[in-house]
Amino acid sequence: PILGSTVSGGLVTVHRISEALFELFAALQERLIHYRSAVLIILGSAKNFQWFRKLDQGEHNVIYGDLLVLYLRLTHEQQQEVIQ
């Protein structure tokens, strides 16, 4: 992995993953963005997250680990709602 930092002190890691794993994570990420409870925890709303995503200047192959970790914090019932 590649490790970097942001000007504001955040850490960024870059990992190479298989195409199948990327597609799985991307699908889960999209479902989480539209699942109200998860997005409220990280950015307040899906609209705010869409704005945040535009900051990366059109990068399309990005998986936001912070967002995916939220899936693990959901109850089992909420996880089922997300993936259905």
Side-chain angles (χ1 to χ4, degrees):
I2 298 170
L3 182 63
S5 65
T6 66
V7 175
S8 63
L11 294 177
V12 177
T13 60
V14 179
H15 298 267
R16 183 178 299 254
I17 59 175
S18 69
E19 185 175 346
L21 188 56
F22 174 81
E23 289 174 6
L24 176 69
F25 285 161
L28 179 58
Q29 178 173 272
E30 286 302 314
R31 290 174 184 254
L32 282 168
I33 289 168
H34 300 290
Y35 184 73
R36 187 170 166 238
S37 298
V39 177
L40 288 175
I41 294 170
I42 193 168
L43 285 174
S45 72
K47 183 178 178 182
N48 289 346
F49 192 74
Q50 296 296 347
W51 170 83
F52 174 75
R53 287 174 62 173
K54 289 180 183 177
L55 293 178
D56 62 22
Q57 300 178 4
E59 193 60 45
H60 299 288
N61 297 325
V62 176
I63 301 296
Y64 296 96
D66 291 345
L67 184 59
L68 293 183
V69 167
L70 291 176
Y71 180 77
L72 300 175
R73 295 182 187 165
L74 298 174
T75 66
H76 178 72
E77 291 78 20
Q78 290 172 320
Q79 288 177 350
Q80 292 297 315
E81 287 177 26
V82 169
I83 60 174
Q84 290 181 359

